[in-house]
Amino acid sequence: MKLIHIITLIAFIGSIASIICGFFLDVDYAQKLIGFGVLGLFLVVFPLFSYYRWKGKDVKDYMLTKENLDKMRENQKKNKI
């Protein structure tokens, strides 16, 4: 596996474990565990996952430009026939 994939997986498991421990452990800092788990998901896991999935792809292919709209209309006409 690639290194970025392994790092993302470890961060995801750590964040989920922190959230679960915060819910089920009866300690004074349980809310902090939940908070750090959520922060880990949104500030670490989500950006790493987004980078991993979008690396090497052209963003223009996913934007609604005039050319892409024309291609979509042509494909709809072909599918109706």
Side-chain angles (χ1 to χ4, degrees):
M1 278 199 259
K2 295 181 181 178
L3 182 63
I4 189 83
H5 184 75
I6 294 171
I7 292 171
T8 306
L9 186 63
I10 290 171
F12 176 74
I13 291 171
S15 295
I16 296 297
S18 176
I19 293 170
I20 291 171
C21 287
F23 277 119
F24 291 113
L25 292 180
D26 190 26
V27 292
D28 294 334
Y29 52 89
Q31 291 180 350
K32 288 184 181 181
L33 284 173
I34 295 169
F36 285 129
V38 171
L39 278 175
L41 281 174
F42 287 106
L43 296 178
V44 178
V45 175
F46 182 69
L48 284 174
F49 178 76
S50 297
Y51 171 75
Y52 172 72
R53 295 299 293 172
W54 281 88
K55 186 175 61 172
K57 294 185 180 177
D58 190 16
V59 178
K60 291 182 182 180
D61 292 340
Y62 300 97
M63 294 176 66
L64 287 176
T65 61
K66 183 169 175 25
E67 293 125 11
N68 287 344
L69 289 173
D70 292 338
K71 287 180 188 177
M72 289 169 50
R73 288 184 187 124
E74 288 175 14
N75 287 336
Q76 285 180 348
K77 288 179 185 178
K78 288 179 185 178
N79 290 337
K80 286 183 181 180
I81 296 176

